[in-house]
Amino acid sequence: MEKGTLYGVSIGPGDPELITVKAMNIISKSKYIATPHTGTGDSLAMNIVSQAVDLSDKEIMLLEFPMTKDKDILTKSHNEAADAIAKVLDSGEDVAMLNLGDVTIYSTFAYTMDKLLEKDYNVEVIPGVTSFCASASQLKIGLTTMNEPLHIIPATGIDMKEALEMPGSKVFMKIGKSMPKLIETLKELNIEDNVYAVENCGLENQKVYNSLDEFDGKMGYFTIVVVK
């Protein structure tokens, strides 16, 4: 029996109108829809997609990816996700795995993809709108000009001072509990102009911050900070 294909489907940052036509076509034709969740059973990705595609006849696979830095726990969850998907692919069915933003940027899909590629499963990747590009459009700013570089930086586990001193524009993602430290470092380096943020881009509770003075240390995980 011919094995099914795993599709890594990018669904954009939150606005269902930013889901590409190709992504919607893949979701529509796939019987099995896999979506990450953090243990509560809720799935932001499913909520977004359900506003654009009829999922009533789909088999939903909730893949648990705990919000932890424990490598053993993460490896276990990645292996379990890959094994669950492999069983469906072995039956000849395709699986569309949903990913917020673009599947190539800090996605849980990448780990699953690597494990299945190692076992010679067929995998296709569907690109999408990144959260930082969508955020820049909400802010009405350009991320780059001429030969200026653009740095995409995870806000956790890095030297913020060193990152902020790099030339060009900086985009901080995966903010979480690092926001107070980022605000503190920006003020320490006297970088208070041309600092922006978008919280929950594309969602109903989206909030745009046009200056550092508007920042709040309690801004959530889905916050993009741009420093130009």
Side-chain angles (χ1 to χ4, degrees):
M1 177 186 295
E2 185 177 351
K3 294 181 179 179
T5 296
L6 170 62
Y7 294 95
V9 183
S10 306
I11 62 167
D15 182 350
E17 291 187 342
L18 293 180
I19 301 175
T20 66
V21 173
K22 185 167 187 176
M24 287 195 290
N25 287 340
I26 294 295
I27 295 168
S28 295
K29 83 178 189 70
S30 300
K31 178 180 178 181
Y32 288 83
I33 308 298
T35 181
H37 75 106
T38 57
T40 63
D42 297 326
S43 169
L44 177 58
M46 281 289 293
N47 182 52
I48 294 167
V49 169
S50 65
Q51 298 175 59
V53 182
D54 181 8
L55 301 177
S56 60
D57 63 342
K58 305 297 184 184
E59 296 287 342
I60 307 302
M61 304 174 64
L62 292 176
L63 306 176
E64 185 174 348
F65 292 103
M67 297 291 283
T68 178
K69 293 181 181 179
D70 187 306
K71 291 183 178 179
D72 291 335
I73 294 175
L74 289 173
T75 298
K76 182 175 182 291
S77 68
H78 295 151
N79 287 335
E80 289 175 349
D83 289 344
I85 290 173
K87 288 181 181 178
V88 176
L89 300 180
D90 287 341
S91 73
E93 294 283 357
D94 297 334
V95 177
M97 183 171 172
L98 309 181
N99 296 265
L100 293 171
D102 182 271
V103 73
T104 64
I105 304 291
Y106 297 124
S107 78
T108 50
F109 172 78
Y111 302 99
T112 307
M113 174 179 66
D114 289 345
K115 292 182 181 301
L116 291 174
L117 285 174
E118 288 174 1
K119 298 178 181 179
D120 294 325
Y121 284 94
N122 187 37
V123 178
E124 292 191 24
V125 178
I126 313 302
V129 177
T130 64
S131 57
F132 53 88
C133 287
S135 295
S137 71
Q138 292 296 318
L139 292 162
K140 298 179 177 62
I141 60 173
L143 290 175
T144 58
T145 56
M146 297 296 289
N147 298 322
E148 181 183 54
L150 173 64
H151 306 277
I152 311 302
I153 305 163
T156 55
I158 53 101
D159 184 325
M160 284 190 179
K161 184 176 181 181
E162 184 178 296
L164 285 164
E165 290 176 335
M166 293 189 294
S169 298
K170 276 76 66 173
V171 168
F172 289 87
M173 301 180 65
K174 304 169 69 175
I175 298 290
K177 297 178 181 178
S178 301
M179 182 59 78
K181 178 63 176 178
L182 178 56
I183 294 173
E184 176 188 333
T185 308
L186 285 163
K187 291 181 176 179
E188 177 187 338
L189 296 175
N190 198 30
I191 302 173
E192 301 194 27
D193 295 327
N194 301 316
V195 179
Y196 313 89
V198 177
E199 185 177 13
N200 300 319
C201 184
L203 301 174
E204 291 182 359
N205 57 342
Q206 172 182 292
K207 188 172 181 181
V208 174
Y209 303 81
N210 288 298
S211 72
L212 184 60
D213 291 338
E214 300 176 8
F215 279 30
D216 180 346
K218 297 180 181 179
M219 292 153 72
Y221 180 81
F222 291 113
T223 300
I224 299 295
V225 174
V226 180
V227 182
K228 289 179 62 65

